[in-house]
Amino acid sequence: MPVRRSTSLLAGALTLAAAWLGPLPALAKTSFAGHMFLHMAVVAVAAPLLALGVAGTRHDPVRRAPELFPAVPLSGLELAVVWAWHAPALHHAARSGAWAFAAEQGTFLASALLVWLAALGGGARLRESRALGGVTALLLTSMHMTLLGALLALTPRALYAHHGAAFAGTPLDDQQLGGAVMLLIGGVSYLAGGLWLTGVLLRARREARG
């Protein structure tokens, strides 16, 4: 495996370890902003690093079965996962129960990995044929994370009143801070991925024309 891919894979694994074994899970139980920092560390930092680490290698599942990784439908799956876990009832369950928390974090990671692998995987042979779908999926995900983050940041009432305020003065302040974290980190990460993939596709087409 090339050094850059090994470094990306290691960075992704270390990010997950820091997210899940560090202070964020404890903070997430009492702070919505803490929950959102944890969420973004998993889906917007660790997942793309892990996907970059395996993309194009012999461990890349997209190379073996590209038909199982339709990028746009998988972005719809991630949308459903993210929005469902931010419904107040499910969010409260994940904050108060170990099994629900494990299910939340596992589905966050799995759905994000599927989207990033669908967008970035397959290697050079499949990249151009899959690039449009990958760009679309990443930009759609950026849009829905930006929308959800904005809704949480701008809402005039606390949806998660059971939370404390580890990062801000009131539960509403804490929720609005969490929404801003999602908007800035999640929205920007997926947008950057889509723009980077667009650049890769344009360079490949220029090179093909000679």
Side-chain angles (χ1 to χ4, degrees):
M1 185 181 292
V3 173
R4 278 191 305 174
R5 297 200 183 280
S6 298
T7 301
S8 180
L9 196 61
L10 177 61
L14 290 175
T15 300
L16 272 185
W20 285 343
L21 302 178
L24 285 177
L27 284 172
K29 291 181 179 180
T30 58
S31 167
F32 184 78
H35 156 268
M36 197 58 75
F37 277 115
L38 177 59
H39 179 189
M40 292 302 102
V42 171
V43 306
V45 182
L49 287 171
L50 292 172
L52 281 170
V54 301
T57 72
R58 60 190 178 91
H59 303 294
D60 183 354
V62 182
R63 292 181 64 183
R64 296 193 296 272
E67 68 280 1
L68 298 181
F69 292 85
V72 174
L74 288 174
S75 72
L77 172 65
E78 186 175 17
L79 182 154
V81 168
V82 169
W83 284 69
W85 281 113
H86 286 87
L90 280 180
H91 179 80
H92 180 67
R95 300 287 66 74
S96 55
W99 286 106
F101 177 74
E104 176 202 60
Q105 294 299 304
T107 52
F108 278 165
L109 178 61
S111 61
L113 267 178
L114 287 171
V115 171
W116 285 105
L117 279 171
L120 305 177
R125 181 176 63 85
L126 294 174
R127 181 173 294 134
E128 186 169 349
S129 64
R130 296 179 57 86
L132 181 58
V135 169
T136 304
L138 292 177
L139 294 182
L140 286 173
T141 306
S142 173
M143 290 171 61
H144 85 72
M145 286 201 175
T146 299
L147 175 59
L148 180 56
L151 288 173
L152 293 169
L154 298 175
T155 183
R157 66 187 184 91
L159 301 175
Y160 311 103
H162 56 279
H163 275 296
F167 291 98
T170 67
L172 178 58
D173 294 334
D174 191 49
Q175 176 183 302
Q176 290 174 337
L177 176 59
V181 169
M182 179 178 228
L183 191 158
L184 293 174
I185 300 178
V188 169
S189 173
Y190 283 84
L191 175 62
L195 294 176
W196 177 80
L197 192 58
T198 300
V200 170
L201 177 61
L202 292 176
R203 284 195 300 273
R205 289 186 174 177
R206 282 199 303 267
E207 292 170 1
R209 290 171 186 159

